[in-house]
Amino acid sequence: MEKNKSFFRPQGILVILVCLSGSLSLGLMMLFKPNASDAQSSRSVKVKDATANVGTQQRVEKLKDQMLTSWQQEAQAKGIASDVPPRFQGATIQAAKLPSGQKVVALTFDDGPWPQTTAKILDILKKNDIKSTFFVVGQNVKNYPDLVKRVVTDGHAIGNHTWHHWYHYMNPRVAAYEIDNTTNLIYQTTGVKTSLFRPPGGMMHNGVAAYARSNKYAIIMWSSDSVDYSRPAVPRLINNIFREAKAGGIVLMHDGGGDRTHTVQALPEIISKFRKQGYQFVTIPELLAMQDKEQKLIASGASRTNANKK
Ligand SMILES: [Zn+2]
């Protein structure tokens, strides 16, 4: 029995120890339980944080949308959505036919937006409080969206100058790609849906102008070519413009597509020279609206004369 007792006694101690350790660990578990629940709540905080981040992102996106919407509305309120009077839809225009007393001229800039030049030209135009028209290339709009946004927010009109600026023949499918993609990206980037088109190189017979015409774009050519793409010296560039300057004229220059430093250098003098000759500056939509008004006046005058004859 002693043996047994002695055998059981340590076992009893062991049982007690086991019980003790059991209660200890139970106690420890109870001690740690709040921590465990903290961990759980900290996990839920992290989840909440993540949800908050998603929420913030959504708010930022919503804000961006609102900004774009208000900016589009502002652009439309300013009247710079390029609406073309019906008589010019599908028509080709070299210059507006205005009475010689209406000394207005439209400056136009092609092939941008362009990182080295467009901002400089915009600065000069802003300083002189002049609105002009930019015929942009789709792939440049894609590459320099901020510049094209500034063109619109500065109050200038914008036109389509194809996506790639190709000269070669384009079948209707390619022509549609060149024109539709550019108009869509201009709209997505600036909120302006343009109805103005200028064919690269002034090419009228390679398929692209035909597509523009059938889609009711006004095809805007020019009456006064600076020939700035061949980089003439500044005085010559200016002479090129003024040799053909006239009321209702459209002046061709380039803000993109290559080195346009001469154009930037010549622009202040071009502006002051036009002003000295009594010209005011208009955008292409303004020029077309002026001619539309003029033609309506002529038409109503003619109908009055006819009515008097009867
Ligand atoms: Zn061009």
Side-chain angles (χ1 to χ4, degrees), residues 110-112 135 137 161-162 165 167 198-202 252-254 256 260:
D110 289 11
D111 299 359
F135 289 91
V137 173
H161 199 42
T162 73
H165 205 273
Y167 293 146
R198 177 172 280 165
L252 172 64
M253 289 180 274
H254 293 80
R260 305 302 178 214

Coordinates of all heavy atoms in Angstrom, one line a residue, residues 110-112 135 137 161-162 165 167 198-202 252-254 256 260, ligand 1:
D110 N -1.9 74.1 -86.9 CA -2.1 72.6 -87.2 C -1.0 71.8 -86.5 O 0.1 72.3 -86.1 CB -2.0 72.4 -88.7 CG -3.2 72.9 -89.4 OD1 -4.0 73.6 -88.8 OD2 -3.3 72.6 -90.6
D111 N -1.3 70.5 -86.4 CA -0.4 69.4 -86.1 C -0.1 69.2 -84.6 O 0.7 68.4 -84.3 CB 0.9 69.5 -86.9 CG 0.7 69.4 -88.4 OD1 -0.5 69.3 -88.8 OD2 1.7 69.5 -89.2
G112 N -0.6 70.1 -83.8 CA -0.4 69.9 -82.3 C -1.4 69.0 -81.7 O -2.0 68.2 -82.4
F135 N -6.1 72.8 -85.2 CA -6.5 71.5 -85.8 C -5.5 70.5 -85.3 O -4.3 70.5 -85.7 CB -6.4 71.7 -87.4 CG -7.6 72.5 -87.9 CD1 -7.4 73.8 -88.1 CD2 -8.8 71.9 -88.2 CE1 -8.5 74.6 -88.5 CE2 -9.9 72.6 -88.6 CZ -9.7 74.0 -88.8
V137 N -3.9 66.7 -84.1 CA -3.7 65.3 -84.5 C -4.0 64.4 -83.4 O -3.5 64.6 -82.2 CB -2.2 65.2 -85.0 CG1 -1.9 63.7 -85.3 CG2 -2.0 66.1 -86.2
H161 N -7.7 66.9 -87.3 CA -6.7 66.9 -88.3 C -6.2 65.5 -88.5 O -5.0 65.3 -88.8 CB -5.5 67.9 -87.9 CG -4.6 68.3 -89.0 ND1 -5.1 68.6 -90.3 CD2 -3.3 68.4 -89.1 CE1 -4.0 68.9 -91.0 NE2 -2.9 68.8 -90.3
T162 N -7.1 64.5 -88.3 CA -6.8 63.0 -88.4 C -6.0 62.5 -87.2 O -5.4 63.3 -86.5 CB -6.2 62.6 -89.7 OG1 -4.8 62.9 -89.7 CG2 -6.9 63.1 -91.0
H165 N -2.1 61.8 -89.4 CA -1.5 62.8 -90.3 C -0.9 62.1 -91.5 O 0.2 62.5 -92.0 CB -0.5 63.7 -89.6 CG -0.4 65.0 -90.3 ND1 0.5 65.3 -91.3 CD2 -1.0 66.2 -90.1 CE1 0.4 66.5 -91.7 NE2 -0.5 67.1 -91.0
Y167 N -0.7 61.0 -95.5 CA -1.0 61.6 -96.8 C -1.5 60.6 -97.9 O -2.2 60.9 -98.8 CB 0.2 62.3 -97.4 CG 0.7 63.5 -96.7 CD1 2.1 63.7 -96.6 CD2 -0.1 64.4 -96.1 CE1 2.6 64.9 -95.9 CE2 0.3 65.5 -95.4 CZ 1.7 65.7 -95.3 OH 2.1 66.8 -94.7
R198 N -9.7 69.5 -91.1 CA -8.7 70.0 -92.1 C -7.9 68.8 -92.5 O -7.3 68.1 -91.7 CB -7.8 71.1 -91.5 CG -6.7 71.5 -92.4 CD -6.0 72.7 -91.9 NE -6.7 74.0 -92.1 CZ -6.4 75.1 -91.5 NH1 -5.4 75.1 -90.6 NH2 -7.1 76.2 -91.8
P199 N -7.9 68.5 -93.8 CA -7.1 67.3 -94.3 C -5.6 67.6 -94.2 O -5.2 68.7 -94.6 CB -7.6 67.2 -95.8 CG -8.1 68.5 -96.2 CD -8.6 69.2 -94.9
P200 N -4.8 66.6 -93.7 CA -3.4 66.8 -93.7 C -2.8 67.1 -95.1 O -3.2 66.5 -96.1 CB -2.9 65.5 -93.2 CG -4.0 64.9 -92.4 CD -5.2 65.4 -93.1
G201 N -2.0 68.1 -95.2 CA -1.4 68.6 -96.4 C -2.4 69.2 -97.4 O -2.1 69.4 -98.5
G202 N -3.6 69.4 -96.9 CA -4.7 70.0 -97.7 C -5.1 69.0 -98.8 O -5.7 69.4 -99.8
L252 N -2.9 79.9 -92.2 CA -2.4 78.6 -91.9 C -1.0 78.7 -91.2 O 0.0 79.2 -91.8 CB -2.3 77.7 -93.1 CG -1.6 76.4 -93.0 CD1 -2.3 75.4 -92.0 CD2 -1.3 75.7 -94.3
M253 N -0.9 78.2 -90.0 CA 0.4 78.1 -89.3 C 0.4 76.7 -88.6 O -0.5 76.0 -88.6 CB 0.5 79.2 -88.3 CG 0.7 80.6 -88.9 SD 0.9 81.9 -87.6 CE -0.8 82.3 -87.4
H254 N 1.6 76.4 -88.0 CA 1.7 75.1 -87.3 C 2.3 75.3 -85.9 O 3.3 76.0 -85.8 CB 2.6 74.2 -88.1 CG 2.1 73.8 -89.5 ND1 2.1 74.6 -90.5 CD2 1.4 72.7 -89.8 CE1 1.5 74.0 -91.6 NE2 1.1 72.8 -91.2
G256 N 2.7 72.4 -84.2 CA 3.2 71.1 -83.9 C 3.8 70.4 -85.2 O 3.9 71.1 -86.2
R260 N 9.0 74.5 -84.5 CA 8.2 75.6 -84.8 C 8.6 76.9 -84.1 O 7.8 77.8 -83.9 CB 6.7 75.3 -84.5 CG 6.1 74.1 -85.1 CD 6.2 74.0 -86.6 NE 5.7 72.8 -87.2 CZ 6.2 72.3 -88.3 NH1 7.2 72.8 -89.0 NH2 5.7 71.1 -88.8
Ligands
ZN1 ZN -1.0 69.1 -90.9

